[in-house]
Amino acid sequence: MTLILLLTSVYMLGNILTAPLISQLFYKEDIRAEGSGNPGARNVGRLFGKKAFVATFVGDALKGAIAVGVVKGLDFGAAIELLALVAVMVGHVFPAILKFRGGKGVSTFIGGLLVFNPLLFAVFAGLFLLSYPFLKSFTLAGLGAIGFLPLIVFAFSYGMPAVGVACLVTALLFVAHRKDIRQKLMPEKS
């Protein structure tokens, strides 16, 4: 019962998207009706500049950091810490308060993974940095590194329950980026 309440609370935390708050408070616009329509850091940055991008990124990353940090403090173990990351990301990607139309979850993922294990995060970031010069796409390099997350978790000896939840994290990010993947791998012909 405690775990269900905790994960539900973390999901609701994920529902608080920084991009709509910033766009409404400072720019009097609905970010979901502007640019790509995505309520995330990238769209905010394109429309309102670097400061708005950084503020949105930090705000959304904090959600992941708080969710994982609280569970870490309660000493539930690695698999539940990653499950909290899944729950907050699901809240961000599919927020009930925004009719299940949210961001893509990358900032929230980064914040949570950094708190989960900074060294593991460094390996993830290293994979991204190594693949970017070859792929020349932040999206593909990021998703490529995310694809290795379960193997990285396994290499850090967290055990199969944590590896299984890392697969959920990976799957969620791939689902959230399905349109981007389609565009990158199968560009439309003009």
Side-chain angles (χ1 to χ4, degrees):
M1 187 64 165
T2 304
L3 183 58
I4 292 169
L5 183 62
L6 179 67
L7 294 176
T8 302
S9 300
V10 168
Y11 168 81
M12 292 311 295
L13 171 64
N15 275 240
I16 304 166
L17 275 72
T18 311
L21 295 174
I22 287 175
S23 65
Q24 288 285 0
L25 286 172
F26 297 104
Y27 302 97
K28 309 292 185 234
E29 293 188 41
D30 181 1
I31 192 68
R32 294 168 300 153
E34 302 293 331
S36 69
N38 185 276
R42 210 164 167 190
N43 195 30
V44 166
R46 278 190 207 119
L47 294 168
F48 307 124
K50 289 179 187 173
K51 287 181 185 175
F53 170 84
V54 170
T56 302
F57 178 87
V58 169
D60 289 342
L62 277 173
K63 293 188 302 188
I66 290 167
V68 174
V70 165
V71 174
K72 190 180 278 286
L74 295 172
D75 204 24
F76 276 106
I80 305 302
E81 289 172 31
L82 287 173
L83 198 56
L85 180 55
V86 170
V88 74
M89 287 171 59
V90 168
H92 182 86
V93 175
F94 303 110
I97 62 173
L98 293 175
K99 299 179 183 175
F100 302 100
R101 196 174 139 226
K104 294 187 180 174
V106 174
S107 302
T108 305
F109 163 74
I110 288 171
L113 193 63
L114 194 52
V115 170
F116 175 70
N117 184 323
L119 186 56
L120 188 146
F121 174 80
V123 171
F124 165 79
L127 285 172
F128 168 79
L129 292 172
L130 285 172
S131 62
Y132 179 73
F134 300 102
L135 297 172
K136 305 241 188 296
S137 163
F138 279 108
T139 301
L140 291 180
L143 290 172
I146 288 163
F148 282 101
L149 182 65
L151 292 174
I152 299 168
V153 170
F154 180 76
F156 273 74
S157 303
Y158 276 111
M160 292 315 291
V163 171
V165 181
C167 289
L168 287 176
V169 172
T170 299
L172 176 60
L173 286 167
F174 274 66
V175 166
H177 286 84
R178 63 192 176 278
K179 288 180 186 170
D180 294 329
I181 294 168
R182 218 176 295 126
Q183 287 175 348
K184 294 285 182 187
L185 298 179
M186 294 178 281
E188 290 181 22
K189 294 173 183 165
S190 36

